[in-house]
Amino acid sequence: DGGITQSPKYLFRKEGQNVTLSCEQNLNHDAMYWYRQDPGQGLRLIYYSQIVNDFQKGDIAEGYSVSREKKESFPLTVTSAQKNPTAFYLCASHQAGDTNYGYTFGSGTRLTVV
Amino acid sequence: AQSVTQLDSHVSVSEGTPVLLRCNYSSSYSPSLFWYVQHPNKGLQLLLKYTSAATLVKGINGFEAEFKKSETSFHLTKPSAHMSDAAEYFCVVSDRGSSASKIIFGSGTRLSIRP
């Protein structure tokens, strides 16, 4: 079945450490996105990519980095510059240029700073 | 400019009674509107969408929503709540055909179901 796979499901980070969250899709979607979700808030866009080797900052990109070397993969690195990284991270995808069909979401990664 | 407002942060209903989750939007152009559901520690699942066809949209699990342009609303309803409906619900607006950065999520409504 087609879908989006996020891993790991739970991730713990020490202060000052970089960590990378994985997102893989087999839907042949052009566009992929990373969102951050905090309790009681909606989703906030971190980065998005509409084509391989290209990506744009969203509303809260500071302290994060991404790459898009392959169509099916869009990993997110949470760097030590992100001062409050504890949150639930969601990856999503859809066909670029057409939001009418909604997004497909992964099951999320919960990141906790210890 | 687009925006979306979910009028209730928490709704509690008894099992078997109707559900109403309210959503108001603003959009400069013709909007596409969506409702998503999120169970604890899970991703978001699309419940239903409005993209300019029929104004009454039927979704999965017995949910439906009506697009009312005059009221700029897209409220989510279900005739009879089930315990499994307990979750977080998000209303989403985008200008039709717009890019990812133009998609706006509401802050969510937590639905609780009383036995």
Side-chain angles (χ1 to χ4, degrees), chain A residues 9-10 33 35 37 40-43 45 48 50 88 90 97 99-103 105-107 110, chain B residues 32 34 36 38 41-44 46 49 51 90 94-101 103 105-107:
Chain A
K9 189 173 178 64
Y10 298 96
Y33 313 89
Y35 289 91
Q37 186 178 27
Q41 299 189 34
L43 277 67
L45 182 64
Y48 65 100
Q50 295 187 301
F88 191 53
L90 286 162
T99 56
N100 289 347
Y101 296 97
Y103 285 1
F105 282 86
S107 57
R110 184 164 296 283
Chain B
S32 293
F34 308 84
Y36 285 85
Q38 184 182 31
N41 292 311
K42 300 289 187 185
L44 277 66
L46 182 65
K49 61 180 184 280
T51 58
F90 293 94
S94 73
D95 285 334
R96 205 162 300 140
S98 63
S99 67
S101 60
I103 292 175
F105 286 80
S107 56

mmCIF file of all heavy atoms in Angstrom, chain A residues 9-10 33 35 37 40-43 45 48 50 88 90 97 99-103 105-107 110, chain B residues 32 34 36 38 41-44 46 49 51 90 94-101 103 105-107:
data_model
loop_
_atom_site.group_PDB
_atom_site.id
_atom_site.type_symbol
_atom_site.label_atom_id
_atom_site.label_comp_id
_atom_site.label_asym_id
_atom_site.label_seq_id
_atom_site.Cartn_x
_atom_site.Cartn_y
_atom_site.Cartn_z
ATOM 1 N N LYS A 9 9.545 6.437 15.738
ATOM 2 C CA LYS A 9 8.291 6.920 16.312
ATOM 3 C C LYS A 9 8.568 7.812 17.515
ATOM 4 O O LYS A 9 7.884 8.806 17.742
ATOM 5 C CB LYS A 9 7.418 5.735 16.724
ATOM 6 C CG LYS A 9 6.003 6.108 17.124
ATOM 7 C CD LYS A 9 5.174 4.863 17.359
ATOM 8 C CE LYS A 9 3.764 5.217 17.817
ATOM 9 N NZ LYS A 9 3.014 5.946 16.788
ATOM 10 N N TYR A 10 9.563 7.442 18.309
ATOM 11 C CA TYR A 10 9.979 8.236 19.474
ATOM 12 C C TYR A 10 11.488 8.466 19.377
ATOM 13 O O TYR A 10 12.235 7.561 18.999
ATOM 14 C CB TYR A 10 9.657 7.506 20.785
ATOM 15 C CG TYR A 10 8.187 7.263 20.991
ATOM 16 C CD1 TYR A 10 7.610 6.049 20.644
ATOM 17 C CD2 TYR A 10 7.368 8.252 21.528
ATOM 18 C CE1 TYR A 10 6.257 5.828 20.822
ATOM 19 C CE2 TYR A 10 6.009 8.035 21.712
ATOM 20 C CZ TYR A 10 5.467 6.824 21.357
ATOM 21 O OH TYR A 10 4.126 6.602 21.535
ATOM 22 N N TYR A 33 6.511 17.858 2.942
ATOM 23 C CA TYR A 33 6.454 18.917 3.941
ATOM 24 C C TYR A 33 6.816 18.386 5.320
ATOM 25 O O TYR A 33 6.566 17.226 5.624
ATOM 26 C CB TYR A 33 5.021 19.498 4.043
ATOM 27 C CG TYR A 33 4.416 19.810 2.714
ATOM 28 C CD1 TYR A 33 3.701 18.851 2.010
ATOM 29 C CD2 TYR A 33 4.577 21.065 2.149
ATOM 30 C CE1 TYR A 33 3.167 19.130 0.773
ATOM 31 C CE2 TYR A 33 4.033 21.347 0.909
ATOM 32 C CZ TYR A 33 3.344 20.377 0.226
ATOM 33 O OH TYR A 33 2.807 20.655 -1.004
ATOM 34 N N TYR A 35 5.991 19.471 9.334
ATOM 35 C CA TYR A 35 5.244 20.313 10.255
ATOM 36 C C TYR A 35 5.653 19.987 11.684
ATOM 37 O O TYR A 35 5.995 18.850 12.004
ATOM 38 C CB TYR A 35 3.734 20.078 10.128
ATOM 39 C CG TYR A 35 3.120 20.609 8.869
ATOM 40 C CD1 TYR A 35 3.016 19.829 7.727
ATOM 41 C CD2 TYR A 35 2.630 21.909 8.814
ATOM 42 C CE1 TYR A 35 2.441 20.316 6.570
ATOM 43 C CE2 TYR A 35 2.056 22.415 7.656
ATOM 44 C CZ TYR A 35 1.968 21.613 6.551
ATOM 45 O OH TYR A 35 1.394 22.104 5.415
ATOM 46 N N GLN A 37 4.079 20.166 15.617
ATOM 47 C CA GLN A 37 2.821 20.279 16.358
ATOM 48 C C GLN A 37 3.123 20.352 17.842
ATOM 49 O O GLN A 37 3.783 19.477 18.398
ATOM 50 C CB GLN A 37 1.912 19.084 16.058
ATOM 51 C CG GLN A 37 0.541 19.206 16.680
ATOM 52 C CD GLN A 37 -0.353 18.037 16.324
ATOM 53 O OE1 GLN A 37 0.106 16.935 16.054
ATOM 54 N NE2 GLN A 37 -1.644 18.271 16.317
ATOM 55 N N GLY A 40 -2.171 21.906 21.921
ATOM 56 C CA GLY A 40 -3.125 23.005 21.841
ATOM 57 C C GLY A 40 -2.918 23.947 20.677
ATOM 58 O O GLY A 40 -3.599 24.970 20.590
ATOM 59 N N GLN A 41 -2.012 23.602 19.783
ATOM 60 C CA GLN A 41 -1.771 24.457 18.626
ATOM 61 C C GLN A 41 -1.992 23.669 17.354
ATOM 62 O O GLN A 41 -1.938 22.444 17.335
ATOM 63 C CB GLN A 41 -0.342 24.994 18.660
ATOM 64 C CG GLN A 41 -0.022 25.835 19.875
ATOM 65 C CD GLN A 41 1.331 26.511 19.750
ATOM 66 O OE1 GLN A 41 1.755 26.900 18.660
ATOM 67 N NE2 GLN A 41 2.018 26.662 20.864
ATOM 68 N N GLY A 42 -2.216 24.387 16.285
ATOM 69 C CA GLY A 42 -2.295 23.746 14.986
ATOM 70 C C GLY A 42 -0.912 23.372 14.496
ATOM 71 O O GLY A 42 0.070 23.449 15.237
ATOM 72 N N LEU A 43 -0.843 22.950 13.262
ATOM 73 C CA LEU A 43 0.435 22.567 12.675
ATOM 74 C C LEU A 43 1.141 23.797 12.114
ATOM 75 O O LEU A 43 0.517 24.648 11.477
ATOM 76 C CB LEU A 43 0.200 21.561 11.543
ATOM 77 C CG LEU A 43 0.026 20.107 11.965
ATOM 78 C CD1 LEU A 43 -1.247 19.902 12.750
ATOM 79 C CD2 LEU A 43 0.051 19.203 10.746
ATOM 80 N N LEU A 45 4.362 25.059 9.687
ATOM 81 C CA LEU A 45 5.200 24.572 8.599
ATOM 82 C C LEU A 45 6.663 24.902 8.853
ATOM 83 O O LEU A 45 7.010 26.074 9.060
ATOM 84 C CB LEU A 45 4.722 25.187 7.281
ATOM 85 C CG LEU A 45 5.434 24.767 6.010
ATOM 86 C CD1 LEU A 45 5.238 23.280 5.748
ATOM 87 C CD2 LEU A 45 4.918 25.582 4.832
ATOM 88 N N TYR A 48 9.388 22.916 3.221
ATOM 89 C CA TYR A 48 8.707 22.141 2.211
ATOM 90 C C TYR A 48 9.554 22.075 0.942
ATOM 91 O O TYR A 48 10.420 22.921 0.713
ATOM 92 C CB TYR A 48 7.300 22.667 1.920
ATOM 93 C CG TYR A 48 7.229 24.049 1.304
ATOM 94 C CD1 TYR A 48 7.027 24.221 -0.063
ATOM 95 C CD2 TYR A 48 7.315 25.183 2.106
ATOM 96 C CE1 TYR A 48 6.926 25.481 -0.609
ATOM 97 C CE2 TYR A 48 7.218 26.448 1.557
ATOM 98 C CZ TYR A 48 7.023 26.592 0.203
ATOM 99 O OH TYR A 48 6.924 27.847 -0.346
ATOM 100 N N GLN A 50 9.057 21.076 -3.303
ATOM 101 C CA GLN A 50 8.136 20.744 -4.385
ATOM 102 C C GLN A 50 8.807 19.988 -5.512
ATOM 103 O O GLN A 50 8.139 19.531 -6.449
ATOM 104 C CB GLN A 50 7.465 22.019 -4.907
ATOM 105 C CG GLN A 50 6.566 22.657 -3.839
ATOM 106 C CD GLN A 50 5.767 23.814 -4.366
ATOM 107 O OE1 GLN A 50 6.320 24.789 -4.848
ATOM 108 N NE2 GLN A 50 4.453 23.713 -4.256
ATOM 109 N N PHE A 88 5.928 17.182 18.498
ATOM 110 C CA PHE A 88 5.517 16.100 17.612
ATOM 111 C C PHE A 88 5.737 16.591 16.195
ATOM 112 O O PHE A 88 5.270 17.673 15.831
ATOM 113 C CB PHE A 88 4.041 15.770 17.879
ATOM 114 C CG PHE A 88 3.555 14.507 17.237
ATOM 115 C CD1 PHE A 88 4.213 13.318 17.432
ATOM 116 C CD2 PHE A 88 2.409 14.505 16.459
ATOM 117 C CE1 PHE A 88 3.752 12.133 16.867
ATOM 118 C CE2 PHE A 88 1.935 13.334 15.885
ATOM 119 C CZ PHE A 88 2.616 12.148 16.092
ATOM 120 N N LEU A 90 5.452 16.023 12.074
ATOM 121 C CA LEU A 90 4.668 15.319 11.058
ATOM 122 C C LEU A 90 5.207 15.634 9.673
ATOM 123 O O LEU A 90 5.476 16.786 9.338
ATOM 124 C CB LEU A 90 3.199 15.739 11.133
ATOM 125 C CG LEU A 90 2.432 15.164 12.316
ATOM 126 C CD1 LEU A 90 1.168 15.953 12.571
ATOM 127 C CD2 LEU A 90 2.094 13.702 12.053
ATOM 128 N N GLY A 97 1.499 21.500 -6.897
ATOM 129 C CA GLY A 97 0.660 22.373 -7.721
ATOM 130 C C GLY A 97 -0.817 22.149 -7.569
ATOM 131 O O GLY A 97 -1.622 22.879 -8.144
ATOM 132 N N THR A 99 -3.483 21.362 -4.447
ATOM 133 C CA THR A 99 -3.809 21.019 -3.055
ATOM 134 C C THR A 99 -5.241 20.542 -2.915
ATOM 135 O O THR A 99 -5.710 20.309 -1.820
ATOM 136 C CB THR A 99 -3.595 22.249 -2.161
ATOM 137 O OG1 THR A 99 -4.385 23.320 -2.667
ATOM 138 C CG2 THR A 99 -2.129 22.644 -2.139
ATOM 139 N N ASN A 100 -5.949 20.396 -4.033
ATOM 140 C CA ASN A 100 -7.357 20.032 -3.937
ATOM 141 C C ASN A 100 -7.600 18.662 -3.353
ATOM 142 O O ASN A 100 -8.681 18.380 -2.851
ATOM 143 C CB ASN A 100 -8.005 20.096 -5.319
ATOM 144 C CG ASN A 100 -8.168 21.515 -5.804
ATOM 145 O OD1 ASN A 100 -8.029 22.447 -5.031
ATOM 146 N ND2 ASN A 100 -8.443 21.665 -7.078
ATOM 147 N N TYR A 101 -6.605 17.799 -3.425
ATOM 148 C CA TYR A 101 -6.813 16.440 -2.973
ATOM 149 C C TYR A 101 -6.301 16.208 -1.570
ATOM 150 O O TYR A 101 -6.289 15.099 -1.094
ATOM 151 C CB TYR A 101 -6.174 15.467 -3.968
ATOM 152 C CG TYR A 101 -6.854 15.562 -5.306
ATOM 153 C CD1 TYR A 101 -6.331 16.341 -6.321
ATOM 154 C CD2 TYR A 101 -8.058 14.907 -5.529
ATOM 155 C CE1 TYR A 101 -6.989 16.454 -7.531
ATOM 156 C CE2 TYR A 101 -8.718 15.015 -6.733
ATOM 157 C CZ TYR A 101 -8.172 15.790 -7.733
ATOM 158 O OH TYR A 101 -8.829 15.909 -8.925
ATOM 159 N N GLY A 102 -5.889 17.250 -0.899
ATOM 160 C CA GLY A 102 -5.457 17.092 0.476
ATOM 161 C C GLY A 102 -4.075 16.485 0.574
ATOM 162 O O GLY A 102 -3.471 16.075 -0.412
ATOM 163 N N TYR A 103 -3.593 16.443 1.746
ATOM 164 C CA TYR A 103 -2.280 15.887 2.032
ATOM 165 C C TYR A 103 -2.404 14.461 2.561
ATOM 166 O O TYR A 103 -3.401 14.091 3.171
ATOM 167 C CB TYR A 103 -1.594 16.680 3.130
ATOM 168 C CG TYR A 103 -1.044 18.025 2.749
ATOM 169 C CD1 TYR A 103 -1.172 18.530 1.469
ATOM 170 C CD2 TYR A 103 -0.380 18.792 3.693
ATOM 171 C CE1 TYR A 103 -0.647 19.764 1.149
ATOM 172 C CE2 TYR A 103 0.148 20.025 3.384
ATOM 173 C CZ TYR A 103 0.013 20.502 2.111
ATOM 174 O OH TYR A 103 0.525 21.720 1.792
ATOM 175 N N PHE A 105 -0.462 12.186 5.352
ATOM 176 C CA PHE A 105 0.438 12.388 6.483
ATOM 177 C C PHE A 105 1.069 11.081 6.930
ATOM 178 O O PHE A 105 0.457 10.012 6.841
ATOM 179 C CB PHE A 105 -0.319 12.980 7.671
ATOM 180 C CG PHE A 105 -0.583 14.452 7.547
ATOM 181 C CD1 PHE A 105 -1.697 14.911 6.869
ATOM 182 C CD2 PHE A 105 0.287 15.367 8.109
ATOM 183 C CE1 PHE A 105 -1.944 16.268 6.744
ATOM 184 C CE2 PHE A 105 0.048 16.734 7.991
ATOM 185 C CZ PHE A 105 -1.066 17.180 7.307
ATOM 186 N N GLY A 106 2.294 11.197 7.452
ATOM 187 C CA GLY A 106 2.899 10.086 8.159
ATOM 188 C C GLY A 106 2.342 10.005 9.573
ATOM 189 O O GLY A 106 1.522 10.837 9.982
ATOM 190 N N SER A 107 2.789 9.021 10.328
ATOM 191 C CA SER A 107 2.262 8.804 11.673
ATOM 192 C C SER A 107 3.006 9.593 12.734
ATOM 193 O O SER A 107 2.655 9.535 13.909
ATOM 194 C CB SER A 107 2.270 7.316 12.015
ATOM 195 O OG SER A 107 3.583 6.817 11.881
ATOM 196 N N ARG A 110 7.764 11.679 17.739
ATOM 197 C CA ARG A 110 7.742 12.508 18.951
ATOM 198 C C ARG A 110 9.170 12.659 19.442
ATOM 199 O O ARG A 110 9.817 11.685 19.818
ATOM 200 C CB ARG A 110 6.867 11.889 20.035
ATOM 201 C CG ARG A 110 6.753 12.800 21.268
ATOM 202 C CD ARG A 110 5.617 12.416 22.176
ATOM 203 N NE ARG A 110 4.309 12.557 21.543
ATOM 204 C CZ ARG A 110 3.673 13.705 21.365
ATOM 205 N NH1 ARG A 110 4.215 14.842 21.772
ATOM 206 N NH2 ARG A 110 2.477 13.724 20.806
ATOM 207 N N SER B 32 -10.380 25.835 -1.062
ATOM 208 C CA SER B 32 -10.593 24.412 -0.803
ATOM 209 C C SER B 32 -10.577 24.256 0.711
ATOM 210 O O SER B 32 -9.779 24.904 1.398
ATOM 211 C CB SER B 32 -9.488 23.564 -1.424
ATOM 212 O OG SER B 32 -9.544 23.614 -2.824
ATOM 213 N N PHE B 34 -10.893 21.466 4.108
ATOM 214 C CA PHE B 34 -10.683 20.078 4.522
ATOM 215 C C PHE B 34 -10.939 19.950 6.025
ATOM 216 O O PHE B 34 -10.739 20.894 6.789
ATOM 217 C CB PHE B 34 -9.233 19.638 4.253
ATOM 218 C CG PHE B 34 -8.742 19.891 2.855
ATOM 219 C CD1 PHE B 34 -8.230 21.127 2.498
ATOM 220 C CD2 PHE B 34 -8.774 18.880 1.908
ATOM 221 C CE1 PHE B 34 -7.763 21.364 1.213
ATOM 222 C CE2 PHE B 34 -8.304 19.107 0.614
ATOM 223 C CZ PHE B 34 -7.800 20.343 0.272
ATOM 224 N N TYR B 36 -9.534 17.192 8.946
ATOM 225 C CA TYR B 36 -8.675 16.062 9.270
ATOM 226 C C TYR B 36 -8.949 15.624 10.703
ATOM 227 O O TYR B 36 -9.291 16.438 11.561
ATOM 228 C CB TYR B 36 -7.200 16.447 9.166
ATOM 229 C CG TYR B 36 -6.667 16.583 7.765
ATOM 230 C CD1 TYR B 36 -6.805 17.764 7.059
ATOM 231 C CD2 TYR B 36 -6.013 15.521 7.139
ATOM 232 C CE1 TYR B 36 -6.313 17.897 5.785
ATOM 233 C CE2 TYR B 36 -5.508 15.641 5.858
ATOM 234 C CZ TYR B 36 -5.665 16.837 5.194
ATOM 235 O OH TYR B 36 -5.171 16.954 3.915
ATOM 236 N N GLN B 38 -7.132 13.436 14.016
ATOM 237 C CA GLN B 38 -5.876 12.936 14.550
ATOM 238 C C GLN B 38 -6.134 12.223 15.872
ATOM 239 O O GLN B 38 -6.565 12.850 16.838
ATOM 240 C CB GLN B 38 -4.875 14.069 14.760
ATOM 241 C CG GLN B 38 -3.509 13.596 15.239
ATOM 242 C CD GLN B 38 -2.549 14.733 15.494
ATOM 243 O OE1 GLN B 38 -2.951 15.831 15.870
ATOM 244 N NE2 GLN B 38 -1.264 14.491 15.274
ATOM 245 N N ASN B 41 -1.053 10.531 19.279
ATOM 246 C CA ASN B 41 0.255 10.080 18.785
ATOM 247 C C ASN B 41 0.183 9.462 17.393
ATOM 248 O O ASN B 41 0.981 8.575 17.051
ATOM 249 C CB ASN B 41 0.885 9.082 19.757
ATOM 250 C CG ASN B 41 1.274 9.745 21.054
ATOM 251 O OD1 ASN B 41 1.913 10.791 21.055
ATOM 252 N ND2 ASN B 41 0.841 9.173 22.157
ATOM 253 N N LYS B 42 -0.747 9.933 16.591
ATOM 254 C CA LYS B 42 -0.887 9.458 15.221
ATOM 255 C C LYS B 42 -0.785 10.629 14.248
ATOM 256 O O LYS B 42 -0.853 11.799 14.651
ATOM 257 C CB LYS B 42 -2.252 8.773 15.019
ATOM 258 C CG LYS B 42 -2.484 7.576 15.918
ATOM 259 C CD LYS B 42 -1.640 6.399 15.528
ATOM 260 C CE LYS B 42 -2.013 5.165 16.339
ATOM 261 N NZ LYS B 42 -1.112 4.019 16.041
ATOM 262 N N GLY B 43 -0.647 10.311 12.964
ATOM 263 C CA GLY B 43 -0.695 11.351 11.945
ATOM 264 C C GLY B 43 -2.121 11.791 11.692
ATOM 265 O O GLY B 43 -3.061 11.326 12.332
ATOM 266 N N LEU B 44 -2.278 12.702 10.763
ATOM 267 C CA LEU B 44 -3.607 13.217 10.423
ATOM 268 C C LEU B 44 -4.211 12.403 9.289
ATOM 269 O O LEU B 44 -3.531 12.070 8.322
ATOM 270 C CB LEU B 44 -3.516 14.687 9.997
ATOM 271 C CG LEU B 44 -3.498 15.737 11.095
ATOM 272 C CD1 LEU B 44 -2.256 15.656 11.936
ATOM 273 C CD2 LEU B 44 -3.685 17.124 10.505
ATOM 274 N N LEU B 46 -7.392 12.328 6.468
ATOM 275 C CA LEU B 46 -8.390 13.164 5.810
ATOM 276 C C LEU B 46 -9.784 12.597 6.024
ATOM 277 O O LEU B 46 -10.053 11.439 5.702
ATOM 278 C CB LEU B 46 -8.085 13.246 4.314
ATOM 279 C CG LEU B 46 -9.010 14.115 3.483
ATOM 280 C CD1 LEU B 46 -8.888 15.583 3.890
ATOM 281 C CD2 LEU B 46 -8.699 13.959 1.991
ATOM 282 N N LYS B 49 -13.413 16.669 2.150
ATOM 283 C CA LYS B 49 -12.901 17.882 1.532
ATOM 284 C C LYS B 49 -13.976 18.539 0.676
ATOM 285 O O LYS B 49 -14.858 17.859 0.134
ATOM 286 C CB LYS B 49 -11.687 17.580 0.661
ATOM 287 C CG LYS B 49 -11.949 16.636 -0.501
ATOM 288 C CD LYS B 49 -10.677 16.401 -1.291
ATOM 289 C CE LYS B 49 -10.960 15.536 -2.514
ATOM 290 N NZ LYS B 49 -11.047 14.111 -2.174
ATOM 291 N N THR B 51 -14.125 21.109 -2.637
ATOM 292 C CA THR B 51 -13.288 21.725 -3.671
ATOM 293 C C THR B 51 -14.120 22.335 -4.787
ATOM 294 O O THR B 51 -13.679 22.403 -5.916
ATOM 295 C CB THR B 51 -12.306 20.694 -4.254
ATOM 296 O OG1 THR B 51 -13.066 19.595 -4.783
ATOM 297 C CG2 THR B 51 -11.336 20.185 -3.227
ATOM 298 N N PHE B 90 -9.022 18.906 12.888
ATOM 299 C CA PHE B 90 -8.442 20.122 12.332
ATOM 300 C C PHE B 90 -9.183 20.537 11.073
ATOM 301 O O PHE B 90 -9.394 19.726 10.173
ATOM 302 C CB PHE B 90 -6.960 19.922 11.995
ATOM 303 C CG PHE B 90 -6.085 19.723 13.196
ATOM 304 C CD1 PHE B 90 -5.774 18.449 13.644
ATOM 305 C CD2 PHE B 90 -5.581 20.820 13.880
ATOM 306 C CE1 PHE B 90 -4.969 18.269 14.756
ATOM 307 C CE2 PHE B 90 -4.776 20.643 14.999
ATOM 308 C CZ PHE B 90 -4.480 19.358 15.434
ATOM 309 N N SER B 94 -7.246 26.242 2.007
ATOM 310 C CA SER B 94 -6.227 26.650 1.048
ATOM 311 C C SER B 94 -6.915 27.313 -0.132
ATOM 312 O O SER B 94 -8.050 26.963 -0.473
ATOM 313 C CB SER B 94 -5.406 25.458 0.565
ATOM 314 O OG SER B 94 -6.162 24.649 -0.302
ATOM 315 N N ASP B 95 -6.235 28.275 -0.727
ATOM 316 C CA ASP B 95 -6.748 28.836 -1.964
ATOM 317 C C ASP B 95 -6.517 27.805 -3.059
ATOM 318 O O ASP B 95 -5.413 27.276 -3.180
ATOM 319 C CB ASP B 95 -6.036 30.147 -2.310
ATOM 320 C CG ASP B 95 -6.513 31.282 -1.424
ATOM 321 O OD1 ASP B 95 -7.655 31.204 -0.947
ATOM 322 O OD2 ASP B 95 -5.733 32.227 -1.218
ATOM 323 N N ARG B 96 -7.529 27.561 -3.850
ATOM 324 C CA ARG B 96 -7.478 26.449 -4.795
ATOM 325 C C ARG B 96 -6.282 26.571 -5.723
ATOM 326 O O ARG B 96 -6.041 27.600 -6.327
ATOM 327 C CB ARG B 96 -8.773 26.414 -5.610
ATOM 328 C CG ARG B 96 -9.088 25.044 -6.148
ATOM 329 C CD ARG B 96 -10.539 24.954 -6.543
ATOM 330 N NE ARG B 96 -11.413 25.194 -5.417
ATOM 331 C CZ ARG B 96 -12.536 25.907 -5.522
ATOM 332 N NH1 ARG B 96 -12.889 26.427 -6.659
ATOM 333 N NH2 ARG B 96 -13.294 26.092 -4.465
ATOM 334 N N GLY B 97 -5.489 25.500 -5.742
ATOM 335 C CA GLY B 97 -4.335 25.478 -6.619
ATOM 336 C C GLY B 97 -3.123 26.199 -6.055
ATOM 337 O O GLY B 97 -2.139 26.381 -6.755
ATOM 338 N N SER B 98 -3.185 26.613 -4.802
ATOM 339 C CA SER B 98 -2.071 27.376 -4.238
ATOM 340 C C SER B 98 -0.947 26.445 -3.800
ATOM 341 O O SER B 98 -1.103 25.236 -3.741
ATOM 342 C CB SER B 98 -2.556 28.210 -3.061
ATOM 343 O OG SER B 98 -3.025 27.367 -2.029
ATOM 344 N N SER B 99 0.154 27.044 -3.426
ATOM 345 C CA SER B 99 1.312 26.267 -3.006
ATOM 346 C C SER B 99 1.194 25.887 -1.538
ATOM 347 O O SER B 99 0.302 26.331 -0.830
ATOM 348 C CB SER B 99 2.586 27.075 -3.221
ATOM 349 O OG SER B 99 2.592 28.186 -2.321
ATOM 350 N N ALA B 100 2.131 25.090 -1.101
ATOM 351 C CA ALA B 100 2.088 24.570 0.265
ATOM 352 C C ALA B 100 2.061 25.663 1.300
ATOM 353 O O ALA B 100 1.423 25.546 2.344
ATOM 354 C CB ALA B 100 3.310 23.689 0.496
ATOM 355 N N SER B 101 2.778 26.750 1.053
ATOM 356 C CA SER B 101 2.869 27.780 2.072
ATOM 357 C C SER B 101 1.553 28.505 2.282
ATOM 358 O O SER B 101 1.414 29.267 3.222
ATOM 359 C CB SER B 101 3.960 28.782 1.688
ATOM 360 O OG SER B 101 3.639 29.374 0.445
ATOM 361 N N ILE B 103 -1.387 26.967 2.704
ATOM 362 C CA ILE B 103 -2.343 26.112 3.380
ATOM 363 C C ILE B 103 -2.299 26.412 4.860
ATOM 364 O O ILE B 103 -1.232 26.428 5.469
ATOM 365 C CB ILE B 103 -2.021 24.640 3.104
ATOM 366 C CG1 ILE B 103 -2.301 24.357 1.632
ATOM 367 C CG2 ILE B 103 -2.834 23.718 3.998
ATOM 368 C CD1 ILE B 103 -1.913 22.999 1.188
ATOM 369 N N PHE B 105 -3.762 25.655 8.784
ATOM 370 C CA PHE B 105 -4.425 24.739 9.700
ATOM 371 C C PHE B 105 -5.071 25.518 10.832
ATOM 372 O O PHE B 105 -4.470 26.459 11.367
ATOM 373 C CB PHE B 105 -3.422 23.752 10.297
ATOM 374 C CG PHE B 105 -2.966 22.686 9.344
ATOM 375 C CD1 PHE B 105 -1.985 22.944 8.398
ATOM 376 C CD2 PHE B 105 -3.527 21.417 9.384
ATOM 377 C CE1 PHE B 105 -1.567 21.965 7.510
ATOM 378 C CE2 PHE B 105 -3.109 20.422 8.501
ATOM 379 C CZ PHE B 105 -2.134 20.694 7.573
ATOM 380 N N GLY B 106 -6.271 25.111 11.213
ATOM 381 C CA GLY B 106 -6.855 25.637 12.433
ATOM 382 C C GLY B 106 -6.117 25.092 13.643
ATOM 383 O O GLY B 106 -5.283 24.192 13.523
ATOM 384 N N SER B 107 -6.433 25.629 14.804
ATOM 385 C CA SER B 107 -5.717 25.237 16.025
ATOM 386 C C SER B 107 -6.236 23.930 16.612
ATOM 387 O O SER B 107 -5.670 23.428 17.586
ATOM 388 C CB SER B 107 -5.804 26.342 17.070
ATOM 389 O OG SER B 107 -7.164 26.644 17.319
#
